Amino acid sequence: MTQKPMYEGKAKQVFATENPDELLVYFKDDATAFNGEKRGTIGNKGVLNNKISVFFFNLLGEKGIPHHFVKTLSEREMLVKKLDILPVEVVVRNIAAGSLAKRIGWEEGRKLPTTVVELYYKNDDLGDPLINDYHIKALGLATPEQVEIMEKYALKINEILSAFLKDKKLELIDFKLEFGVHKGEVILGDEISPDTCRFWDSETGQKLDKDRFRRDLGDVEEAYQEVLRRLTGENS
Ligand code: ADP
Ligand code: UDP
């Protein structure tokens, strides 16, 4: 790829294509945490996250969730529908962990009596702060209808993924989604991978996600590899 990316993020590069409605997304091995303060690389992460995301987009598509994935172009590249990304990150939580466990003073691993949906302002300079419907309205980040659609899809995605992963002996603790607008419709974008989800082994509680990098737990690549193996039987 000699062309310059139109956007370079922390984990991916985004390139224009000949089709104005489509973009090429290239998955890097770069990893960041704590709003970019911790940086490193995870061997083969780009390949693994591309494959894992493709798997989840296909699964969700079969269940009626509209998403941006068009086709795989290479091990690290996917073709997607171009979205106007809504600057609102939607986090769904089944079990207290990470920032929620800290915020409400619960120990990590305690089951939430009801699914929790949170909205964050996608803004690196501000460190992606937690916001609510009023902030979204005041800042004009999305319409109330768009928020309702994102929350409805997020809950449906949680049901689909939690049930599917349970069979693979993986507990879906929490995850982050991004949505955008394509031809007037709100659809799911970005990625679904161990970078953006917490997966714990149902039997041992072993963490199989980016927390291994965030918390220096070791065997990071192996954990991502294990998630792909459980989903597809593939060893990358
Ligand atoms: P970040 O911007 O948080 O560092 P990435 O490195 O993952 O994140 O960069 C990918 C960027 O591409 C993100 O900003 C994401 O919102 C954006 N993006 C994801 N899917 C699409 C899409 N289909 N159309 C346009 N932008 C997208
Ligand atoms: N998450 C993400 N990107 C972010 C923030 C969070 O993908 O910028 C994911 C994270 O991997 C986890 C969930 O969203 O699965 C909830 O993250 P949390 O708020 O606990 O933040 P953390 O403490 O992990 O940064």
Side-chain angles (χ1 to χ4, degrees):
M1 177 65 60
T2 48
Q3 191 195 338
K4 245 176 80 85
M6 59 175 248
Y7 176 80
E8 172 134 20
K10 298 182 288 289
K12 303 192 283 301
Q13 292 175 322
V14 180
F15 296 89
T17 68
E18 279 169 12
N19 182 341
D21 285 336
E22 292 179 341
L23 297 173
L24 182 154
V25 177
Y26 176 93
F27 285 72
K28 305 190 282 184
D29 288 344
D30 298 351
T32 62
F34 313 120
N35 201 29
E37 273 169 41
K38 180 180 169 98
R39 286 168 189 275
T41 57
I42 299 170
N44 223 23
K45 174 168 84 80
V47 173
L48 293 162
N49 279 0
N50 189 26
K51 289 187 178 176
I52 293 168
S53 293
V54 168
F55 181 87
F56 283 133
F57 284 129
N58 282 331
L59 175 71
L60 294 171
E62 283 165 20
K63 307 272 186 190
I65 306 287
H67 58 73
H68 71 160
F69 172 66
V70 177
K71 66 176 179 183
T72 298
L73 295 174
S74 76
E75 273 199 320
R76 288 175 183 272
E77 294 168 319
M78 62 165 73
L79 188 69
V80 300
K81 292 179 187 166
K82 182 177 181 171
L83 305 183
D84 290 324
I85 292 284
L86 295 164
V88 175
E89 299 189 348
V90 183
V91 169
V92 181
R93 303 179 181 270
N94 299 304
I95 292 187
S99 72
L100 177 72
K102 278 208 194 94
R103 191 179 328 116
I104 64 173
W106 280 27
E107 77 277 16
E108 249 197 358
R110 185 160 157 198
K111 189 167 169 35
L112 294 158
T114 172
T115 306
V116 169
V117 178
E118 294 172 344
L119 305 169
Y120 291 84
Y121 182 15
K122 183 174 157 58
N123 183 316
D124 278 343
D125 293 341
L126 301 176
D128 296 348
L130 181 68
I131 51 174
N132 64 27
D133 289 358
Y134 291 92
H135 300 113
I136 292 176
K137 209 185 275 179
L139 292 168
L141 305 182
T143 67
E145 293 74 26
Q146 288 170 334
V147 174
E148 199 183 321
I149 294 170
M150 289 194 286
E151 290 182 346
K152 189 190 75 185
Y153 283 148
L155 288 169
K156 177 99 191 288
I157 290 166
N158 185 44
E159 280 175 24
I160 297 166
L161 296 188
S162 294
F164 181 86
L165 291 165
K166 204 169 180 205
D167 280 350
K168 308 288 177 187
K169 302 249 181 307
L170 288 173
E171 190 86 33
L172 182 59
I173 306 303
D174 56 32
F175 58 97
K176 182 268 300 178
L177 301 170
E178 291 184 28
F179 294 87
V181 180
H182 181 81
K183 299 186 174 164
E185 299 292 320
V186 173
I187 72 172
L188 176 65
D190 207 46
E191 67 176 280
I192 305 180
S193 73
D195 269 13
T196 62
C197 304
R198 286 193 168 93
F199 302 118
W200 294 0
D201 182 282
S202 308
E203 276 158 15
T204 64
Q206 189 191 12
K207 293 178 179 21
L208 294 170
D209 55 58
K210 194 168 149 187
D211 273 345
R212 302 203 73 81
F213 168 79
R214 292 188 189 99
R215 303 175 189 189
D216 297 319
L217 300 177
D219 291 337
V220 189
E221 179 180 347
E222 289 75 8
Y224 283 56
Q225 183 75 64
E226 178 61 14
V227 171
L228 179 68
R229 198 190 61 72
R230 298 230 191 150
L231 297 180
T232 67
E234 190 189 343
N235 283 316
S236 163

